[in-house]
Amino acid sequence: MNAPMNPRKLRITTTSLSGCFGCHMSFLDIDERLLELAALVEFDRSPITDIKHCSQHCDLALVEGGVCNAENVHVLRELRANAKILVAFGACAVNGGLPAQRNHLDVGQCLSQVYRTPDGSATAIPDDPELPLLLDKVYPVNEVVRVDYFLPGCPPSADTIWKFLTDLLTGRTPRIEHPLLKFD
C-alpha cells in the first residue's frame, strides 16, 4: 500500500531592489504568523533563508524597491522568468518611491556633485566594474517586467501583507480595503 503523498508546498521568493528594506521588515513583522506561513510554503530567496539567487521556479515572488541600476534589472528579469506570480510590494516597487526623487536630476551631474573632492576642484566618481551601472532614472517594477499584483504602502503593514498572502494562498483574489490599504 502506497503512503498518501503530501501536497507540494508553494515556493515563495522575495527580493529587495533599490529601497530601504522596510517592506521586508514589515513582512518579518507578521511575527508568529510566520510559523503558520512556513507550514504552507517553502521559502527560497528571502531574508529568512539568506539565499541570494532563485534556486528554481517559484509560485510567488515579492519584489520591493524601485529599479535603479543594471543589477536590479538583471535580478528582476531573472525573478520574473522564474515566478508564476510576481507582486510589486511597497511604494518603491509600485511607483518608484523615495528613490525616484532623483528622476528630475541628471545622473552625471548628481554623481559629480556627490563625489566632488573636499576642495571642490575635481571629482572622484567611483569606476569599479563591481559597482552596478546606474540607470537614467528609477523605474517602478512594472516598467521593466509584467506585474501580477500591486501591494502599495510605505511599507505595507504586517496585517496587510498577511491578508494579501493568505488570500493568495487560499485561492482567493486578494482584496485589500481600508484601513489596510494605505499609500503612505
Side-chain angles (χ1 to χ4, degrees), residues 13-136:
T13 190
T14 70
T15 194
S16 182
L17 303 176
S18 296
C20 69
F21 211 74
C23 295
H24 274 83
M25 295 307 295
S26 261
F27 175 74
L28 294 174
D29 280 346
I30 66 175
D31 298 327
E32 68 277 355
R33 295 174 289 189
L34 279 172
L35 298 174
E36 291 178 52
L37 187 59
L40 301 172
V41 304
E42 180 181 346
F43 290 101
D44 192 22
R45 176 187 178 143
S46 79
I48 294 170
T49 62
D50 200 31
I51 295 172
K52 303 299 184 205
H53 298 281
C54 297
S55 60
Q56 55 188 312
H57 291 290
C58 66
D59 298 294
L60 176 63
L62 300 173
V63 179
E64 96 164 274
V67 184
C68 83
N69 62 48
E71 180 184 32
N72 292 163
V73 172
H74 173 76
V75 167
L76 185 57
R77 287 182 176 157
E78 176 186 63
L79 202 58
R80 176 72 269 185
N82 287 297
K84 288 181 186 173
I85 297 172
L86 189 133
V87 180
F89 170 49
C92 295
V94 170
N95 62 27
L98 286 174
Q101 288 186 352
R102 78 162 168 93
N103 286 354
H104 70 282
L105 303 172
D106 176 88
V107 174
Q109 289 177 343
C110 186
L111 289 172
S112 294
Q113 189 66 31
V114 168
Y115 289 103
R116 188 173 303 278
T117 58
D119 67 5
S121 61
T123 59
I125 298 172
D127 185 22
D128 187 313
E130 291 293 315
L131 296 174
L133 180 65
L134 287 177
L135 301 177
D136 62 332

